[in-house]
Amino acid sequence: MTETSDDRNINQLSAQDAQFLYIQSATNLTHVMAVYIYDPSTAPGGKVRFKDIIEHMRKRMAVSPMFKRKLYRLPMDIDHPYWVEDEHFDLEAHISHSRLPEPGDWRQFCIQVARHHSKPLDMNRPLWDMYVVEGLDNIPGYAKGSYAILTRIHHSTIDGVSGAHFFAAISDKDNKGTPAIPLPKGEPEASSLPTATEILNRAVNSTVTSPVKLAQALMKFAPAMLSSAQKNITSRSDEKTSGVPETRFNGPVTPHKMFDAVTFDLNELKKMRLKVADATINDVVLAICSGALRLYLTKHKELPAESLVAVAPVNARSRSGEESQPGNNISAMTIKIWSDIADPIDRLEAIRDTTRDTKAAKSGLSARIMTDLTKHIPGVTMAGVARILTDERFAPKMSNLMVSNVPGPQIPLFMNGAKLTHQYGLAPLAHGMGLFIATPSYNGTISFSIISDRKIMPDIEFFRECLQKSFEELRNTKPKKGAKAAKPLKPKAKKAAESGDAGIMYRRVSKTRRTPKPGKAK
């Protein structure tokens, strides 16, 4: 939240932003990390120096206030923290670099990425950093001389949508340095710290008025919640089983994370969704993940009879333009991914039906309820509950994994003249949810980024192979005879589909039901 008092710009974290601080622990770090691979052959002179990257970021400091502000936490978390300017900000302290050890192959790169993701950010300064990694010449698919930029940002600062906007703002649309999106004019307004009296008054007011506001919010959503509950009871009565099966992914996590990834042609996924009427790109993503999990758990003789359940983020930003604002505005919904179905087409059909029903019944409601209710919980209460729920003894089993997709730009992007060729995403894990699959798309490709724990998935390379095999199975399986063909798209929906906007993960919550976003085959 932002308030102006005596010409001061006071920024206090929202409840949703603050909860990412409260749930952080030594084993549950709550930052996100993006990995960008650049080909310097398109840069002037065919080379990008480390100091060039620093100077580029120095020129883009105005794109977001998050660069120079740090946290001011209150004793015992009696209220949510504030953002204040870091009077000792030093850009070069936030950007570092190194080279891969020999042989500098894909395995070494994945180890380096996982190790960096496993380290905590310095919580006493602005909550971001960049790590430049050189020496990637022995990685198949990367141009000679390529380098990586690993960008970490704390989740209290940014969500998927605002993170995508942030990256676009520091990127160029050509190798001449033309900004990819219009840049803000002038420096962002500095954040000021309220006085001790103002802090105390805010904390007292939050604690006293929160129960009333929480009750009012519950009353407002009561009819919709009752209707949703009745629908869930009715639908579950028709199912043989329900709930979340126990898997290796529901165990406690350690500080040691694992990373791997595989990249596919986005057009291939667009062809796959045409095999099932009204399926979306996101349905295909879930079907590939489900097939891979089925292969992986079958190999380990651990496949449960019930379907695995995934949780997917939902973008709750209500209007265009909000993506430029730092912070979080997200909710989540659970989705049965039908890992108990062997046939790839049957699995995709079941996922199509489930996501369609889930989107219609839950997405808008759950996002509005979560956003409206959590902001009325006092900081000290939220902090205490968060610490209990993140303890491995009490962590609830809400799902088996998380699958997230933030559609990226479908045009080439550059930085310092170097062309972006690949991108991956890493996110936090939690006790009871030790697998995260992020699927960012970019310039006609989609990357399946795997984040897990060393004890939970020590053979992460095998799971990557399972993703590849699941992709091939769905691609090679023919639709059943007499299957209904996919409906033709209207121009606007067609454009959205071709951009890779998959719809269900981080979709905007709206009263108007959107047209599914299938893709166009080559």
Side-chain angles (χ1 to χ4, degrees):
M1 86 182 52
T2 302
E3 294 185 13
T4 301
S5 176
D6 300 326
D7 297 324
R8 290 175 299 143
N9 182 40
I10 298 175
N11 285 283
Q12 186 176 20
L13 274 70
S14 70
Q16 194 171 66
D17 294 343
Q19 71 183 358
F20 287 104
L21 295 172
Y22 302 148
I23 65 175
Q24 176 157 301
S25 67
T27 55
N28 286 326
L29 301 176
T30 51
H31 57 254
V32 295
M33 186 169 82
V35 179
Y36 305 113
I37 310 299
Y38 290 94
D39 174 7
S41 66
T42 58
K47 180 181 291 189
V48 176
R49 297 172 297 177
F50 178 63
K51 70 176 184 179
D52 295 331
I53 297 172
I54 294 176
E55 291 309 309
H56 175 84
M57 291 305 302
R58 197 184 305 279
K59 295 175 182 177
R60 298 291 170 97
M61 286 288 101
V63 304
S64 176
M66 67 161 227
F67 281 122
K68 296 183 179 180
R69 66 186 189 185
K70 64 179 183 179
L71 284 173
Y72 182 83
R73 291 187 78 157
L74 305 180
M76 297 181 291
D77 290 317
I78 60 171
D79 200 5
H80 301 319
Y82 292 84
W83 292 117
V84 297
E85 295 302 298
D86 182 2
E87 66 275 23
H88 303 299
F89 176 75
D90 179 8
L91 174 62
E92 296 187 26
H94 287 261
I95 307 177
S96 57
H97 77 290
S98 70
R99 293 187 63 87
L100 276 188
E102 296 295 337
D105 57 14
W106 174 250
R107 179 179 173 276
Q108 289 289 343
F109 181 60
C110 289
I111 292 173
Q112 191 89 326
V113 169
R115 284 176 179 169
H116 192 61
H117 186 57
S118 301
K119 297 177 182 177
L121 284 165
D122 186 342
M123 303 300 288
N124 296 311
R125 65 182 190 181
L127 302 182
W128 69 277
D129 64 23
M130 286 184 169
Y131 182 44
V132 181
V133 181
E134 299 177 284
L136 313 183
D137 288 351
N138 289 325
I139 298 179
Y142 289 3
K144 186 174 178 58
S146 291
Y147 59 90
I149 298 183
L150 284 54
T151 302
R152 297 192 302 173
I153 306 175
H154 200 275
H155 217 321
S156 63
T157 303
I158 212 164
D159 64 15
V161 174
S162 57
H165 180 272
F166 158 78
F167 173 65
I170 63 172
S171 299
D172 300 323
K173 61 183 179 181
D174 55 40
N175 64 350
K176 299 176 183 177
T178 307
I181 61 175
L183 301 180
K185 296 180 180 179
E187 293 290 326
E189 188 175 1
S191 297
S192 302
L193 180 67
T195 65
T197 301
E198 288 173 326
I199 291 175
L200 184 60
N201 287 340
R202 283 167 176 251
V204 171
N205 181 65
S206 173
T207 303
V208 171
T209 62
S210 288
V212 176
K213 293 179 179 178
L214 185 62
Q216 290 174 340
L218 283 169
M219 290 297 292
K220 182 173 72 172
F221 286 111
M225 293 169 67
L226 178 60
S227 175
S228 179
Q230 290 172 336
K231 290 179 181 178
N232 285 337
I233 292 172
T234 302
S235 63
R236 286 187 179 184
S237 65
D238 296 330
E239 296 177 5
K240 294 181 180 179
T241 57
S242 61
V244 180
E246 187 69 34
T247 69
R248 63 168 59 203
F249 310 121
N250 297 110
V253 297
T254 72
H256 309 296
K257 305 302 184 285
M258 300 285 284
F259 167 78
D260 211 319
V262 60
T263 300
F264 301 122
D265 185 340
L266 187 58
N267 277 319
E268 291 295 328
L269 274 72
K270 294 177 182 179
K271 293 177 184 177
M272 293 177 194
R273 54 90 24 207
L274 294 173
K275 297 181 179 185
V276 172
D278 299 325
T280 67
I281 294 294
N282 267 320
D283 294 337
V284 175
V285 167
L286 289 172
I288 292 172
C289 293
S290 177
L293 287 163
R294 181 180 175 85
L295 291 167
Y296 181 85
L297 293 175
T298 298
K299 173 70 173 180
H300 290 285
K301 300 180 180 180
E302 297 173 4
L303 181 67
E306 290 183 73
S307 169
L308 272 65
V309 176
V311 62
V314 178
N315 175 29
R317 294 170 190 264
S318 59
R319 59 185 182 272
S320 179
E322 289 188 352
E323 63 273 4
S324 63
Q325 300 299 316
N328 293 268
N329 196 355
I330 55 175
S331 183
M333 59 184 178
T334 55
I335 305 167
K336 183 176 288 190
I337 60 174
W338 302 103
S339 56
D340 53 334
I341 298 178
D343 183 81
I345 298 297
D346 290 344
R347 188 187 311 125
L348 179 56
E349 287 179 347
I351 290 172
R352 183 268 323 266
D353 293 340
T354 300
T355 57
R356 184 165 52 188
D357 292 342
T358 302
K359 285 185 284 185
K362 295 182 180 179
S363 61
L365 175 64
S366 63
R368 294 196 301 275
I369 290 176
M370 289 295 293
T371 302
D372 219 52
L373 297 188
T374 57
K375 67 182 181 182
H376 300 312
I377 300 176
V380 65
T381 304
M382 183 179 286
V385 171
R387 292 187 183 104
I388 292 173
L389 292 179
T390 52
D391 189 300
E392 64 179 271
R393 295 170 295 174
F394 307 109
K397 186 175 68 173
M398 300 173 60
S399 67
N400 302 110
L401 73 154
M402 180 174 280
V403 181
S404 174
N405 177 20
V406 182
Q410 297 306 304
I411 60 171
L413 293 179
F414 300 79
M415 181 185 287
N416 293 111
K419 182 181 178 180
L420 175 67
T421 59
H422 300 75
Q423 69 169 1
Y424 314 101
L426 289 84
L429 300 176
H431 294 309
M433 193 178 69
L435 176 62
F436 196 114
I437 302 176
T439 58
S441 59
Y442 163 70
N443 196 28
T445 63
I446 183 167
S447 297
F448 284 62
S449 303
I450 313 160
I451 307 95
S452 192
D453 183 271
R454 187 186 297 172
K455 286 189 175 180
I456 291 173
M457 189 178 276
D459 54 348
I460 194 168
E461 301 92 346
F462 173 61
F463 184 67
R464 183 195 69 221
E465 294 171 2
C466 291
L467 281 169
Q468 180 73 49
K469 186 174 181 180
S470 178
F471 168 85
E472 292 169 356
E473 284 181 348
L474 186 54
R475 181 186 60 186
N476 297 333
T477 303
K478 295 181 180 180
K480 291 180 170 40
K481 291 183 179 180
K484 187 179 178 182
K487 296 179 180 179
L489 295 174
K490 295 180 179 180
K492 186 176 180 180
K494 184 177 180 181
K495 182 178 180 181
E498 291 175 350
S499 72
D501 187 353
I504 167 181
M505 321 320 185
Y506 280 111
R507 67 180 274 129
R508 294 190 185 281
V509 175
S510 172
K511 294 181 180 179
T512 303
R513 185 171 180 178
R514 290 188 171 187
T515 304
K517 299 181 172 70
K520 183 181 76 173
K522 286 184 178 179

